[in-house]
Structure formats: C-alpha cells, structure tokens
Amino acid sequence: MKRTAVVTAGTAGIGVETAMGLAARGLAVTVVGRSAERGARAVERINATAPEHPARFLAADLASLGAVRALADRIAAEGPLTVLVNNVGAMFPDRQDSVDGIEATFAVNHLSPYLLTELLLPALQDGAPSRIVNVTSGAIGVAKRVFDAVEPPGGYYGFHWYGRAKLANLTYTLDLADRLEGTGVSVFAADPGGAATDMTNGTMTDPRIVSPGLRVIWPLVRRKFERATSGPASVAAKSSIFAATDDTLADRSGIVIGPQARPVPTARSAADPRIAAAVRHLSERLAPLTAT
Ligand SMILES: NC(=O)c1ccc[n+]([C@@H]2O[C@H](COP(=O)([O-])OP(=O)(O)OC[C@H]3O[C@@H](n4cnc5c(N)ncnc54)[C@H](OP(=O)(O)O)[C@@H]3O)[C@@H](O)[C@H]2O)c1
C-alpha cells in the first residue's frame, strides 16, 4: 500500500525539512501552506532529493476553520493516510482575530490542528499503523493554565499566548493518545527545540511579545533564545521525523519527542485531567466537527 503523509506549514522552515525527511523514508508527502509559489518551490526541493514518490502542494490558510474543513474533506476522500504532521504554528506581536473571529494564536496553534486531526481520524484509522505528530514548543513553560475561555485573563503577550495555545495542543495530544489506544493510530508530540525561521526571526525581536515582568530581563532571555534558535531548520525537524517514522516507537503513543530526537518527560500540566477536560470542551465548542 502507498504510504502517505501530510505536513501542514510544510513549504518552508521546519515543515519543509520534515517533509523532505519523510519523503526520503518512502512516504508520498503533501505539503500545505498559503503561498502557491512557496508550495511549488518546496515540492521541487522534496522531489529533487526523493523523486520515487512525488510530493504535491495543497493550498490552505490554516487560520481559517473553513479552509481546514475543505482540506480535510479533500484528503479524506483520497483514502488511507499514514502520517499527519501538524506543524503549523504562529506567534503574533499584536492580538488579532482569525477570519472566524477567534483569537488568532489559539486558532492557528491549537484549533486548526485539532480540527484537521479529528476530521482525518477515519483516514488515519484506514491507514493504520499510522501516526499523528503535533509540533510543540518549550514556550508552554510560560503558559497560563486556564482554559475556560479562548483568551486567558490579563494582557496580550504573544509569546505567552503562543505557549498557552501550544499547551492546549499538547494536552489534546496526550488525551487523544488515550482515546485512540488499540486503534493502530499512535499520537506523538515533537519539540523541535529551536531554529532560525520566519517565525522566530519575525517576532522574537519585539520585546512586546513577553510580559513586562519578563521584559526586565529581556536581553538575557533573548540571548538565551537566540542561542537555542541558532541552528538550522533541518536539525529542528529531526524530532518530527523521528516521531513520524522511527521503528522504536512502533508500539508507543502519547509521548513527547525532544529536540535530540528521543523521548523526553512530558510537562506535568499537559497531563492534568482538569486541563484536558477544559481544553476538550473549548475545542469542541469553537471548532465543531460539523460546520454550523
Ligand atoms: N522555530 C522555532 O524556533 C520553533 C521552536 C519551537 C517550536 N516551533 C514550532 O515548529 C513549527 C514550525 O515552525 P517554523 O519556525 O518552521 O515556522 P515558520 O518558519 O513560520 O513556518 C513557515 C511555514 O508555515 C506556513 N504557514 C504559516 N502560516 C500559515 C497558515 N496560516 N496556514 C498555512 N500555512 C502557514 C508557511 O507557508 P505560507 O506562508 O505559504 O502559508 C511556511 O510553510 C511551529 O509549530 C512552531 O510553533 C518552532
């Protein structure tokens, strides 16, 4: 059977490197992004290194739940899916709403991968043994752990809100792994560590993305962060590639793969059942599986 993979935000940064790694391991990869030009370049790069299973590009703005639904419909109609890498992620210096009127950080980093995953579960079950990889971040360490509403209390600080959306997604990842036990679909989180990409180059230079308390030690934080993100995206992609393909993970699920491409302990907050229940209720309310 043809083995297939979908990598969201797979046309640049860590995503395209992940896609190249999966293609080199024999998967026919679909990369998703907004720009057709970037998509064409990515497909060219992937096919230059692994031409046996031609890659393709599908356009979707993953900040839009409607676009996520359309993408899922198209992929699901094509039959079994072996690997889904939810790599999309974004951090915004200023608070903004998505086209659905939902705060954009939460929409892009959690609701979009949540909805795409849920809608593709039948295709992933048909493709079993199959894997879901959700890309996480060390930024969950600065997250407010309150999920009774889309937005946490207090002011908007892009880095903290990004960390909170990634925490929601990590919590969902572990919850889903429990739900899918025995189905042949494994679920992993992959932490890339850091890399100099559009996301980090664009936003981390703006001190407004952290809270005033952290801003005081901003030069220190930045230096630490810049050291952590000085590596190439090809290295940062290793955790996702390992999570999606390594044989040693064959019978495992619900674990986090760290930047060194091996399992690491899970943040305790992500395994808290009260947080999991709150994230589940919020996700089901904001991103119902059937559009209303
Ligand atoms: N870089 C780091 O240091 C770091 C650290 C920890 C975790 N991460 C996580 O790793 C993942 C990849 O990060 P990255 O640094 O590679 O990001 P990036 O450089 O910003 O990713 C660029 C890719 O994202 C696509 N993209 C952006 N917004 C999109 C949208 N709304 N819909 C569809 N595609 C979109 C872009 O294509 P288009 O512009 O054509 O849409 C492009 O393919 C993210 O989940 C991020 O949170 C990164």
Side-chain angles (χ1 to χ4, degrees):
M1 189 171 73
K2 182 176 163 191
R3 292 163 64 238
T4 54
V6 172
V7 181
T8 67
T11 60
I14 298 168
V16 70
E17 300 292 342
T18 302
M20 288 202 291
L22 300 188
R25 285 158 182 78
L27 286 131
V29 184
T30 297
V31 289
V32 180
R34 292 165 299 186
S35 151
E37 203 185 309
R38 273 185 164 194
R41 275 204 306 268
V43 166
E44 208 174 296
R45 271 185 77 190
I46 299 164
N47 289 346
T49 52
E52 302 80 26
H53 309 281
R56 69 162 173 184
F57 164 71
L58 288 182
D61 180 353
L62 298 167
S64 152
L65 296 179
V68 171
R69 286 197 177 87
L71 177 70
D73 280 353
R74 169 140 187 207
I75 294 167
E78 294 172 346
L81 178 62
T82 321
V83 168
L84 169 63
V85 182
N86 285 306
N87 171 73
V88 74
M91 193 164 21
F92 305 102
D94 296 300
R95 191 203 162 286
Q96 53 184 272
D97 277 343
S98 71
V99 288
D100 303 294
I102 300 170
E103 192 280 316
T105 317
F106 200 74
V108 176
N109 292 284
H110 173 60
L111 290 177
S112 160
Y114 157 80
L115 184 61
L116 186 63
T117 303
E118 292 291 328
L119 295 174
L120 289 178
L121 283 182
L124 285 155
Q125 283 175 5
D126 288 346
S130 54
R131 298 188 189 184
I132 298 162
V133 179
N134 289 330
V135 178
T136 187
S137 164
I140 65 170
V142 297
K144 276 199 176 140
R145 300 166 190 178
V146 201
F147 291 101
D148 46 358
V150 178
E151 304 188 27
Y156 179 83
Y157 306 110
F159 186 60
H160 299 257
W161 287 38
Y162 163 76
R164 177 176 170 274
K166 286 288 190 188
L167 174 59
N169 199 248
L170 180 57
T171 304
Y172 165 65
T173 303
L174 303 181
D175 199 29
L176 183 65
D178 285 346
R179 254 175 67 199
L180 295 181
E181 206 185 319
T183 62
V185 185
S186 303
V187 192
F188 301 101
D191 180 355
T197 63
D198 289 355
M199 190 181 86
T200 51
N201 297 343
T203 47
M204 284 307 280
T205 48
D206 188 339
R208 289 175 308 139
I209 68 160
V210 293
S211 63
L214 206 54
R215 234 173 271 170
V216 178
I217 52 164
W218 179 246
L220 205 76
V221 177
R222 269 233 16 222
R223 235 175 295 134
K224 198 174 159 208
F225 187 81
E226 274 166 9
R227 265 201 305 276
T229 61
S230 60
S234 56
V235 173
K238 284 185 175 170
S239 56
S240 284
I241 297 168
F242 182 89
T245 60
D246 200 82
D247 288 342
T248 59
L249 298 175
D251 296 318
R252 304 185 68 181
S253 189
I255 54 178
V256 181
I257 305 302
Q260 309 300 322
R262 52 174 181 254
V264 293
T266 307
R268 204 177 314 151
S269 51
D272 182 331
R274 283 164 309 179
I275 295 185
V279 168
R280 197 182 315 124
H281 292 146
L282 194 57
S283 310
E284 287 169 357
R285 181 160 65 80
L286 293 167
L289 302 195
T290 315
T292 46

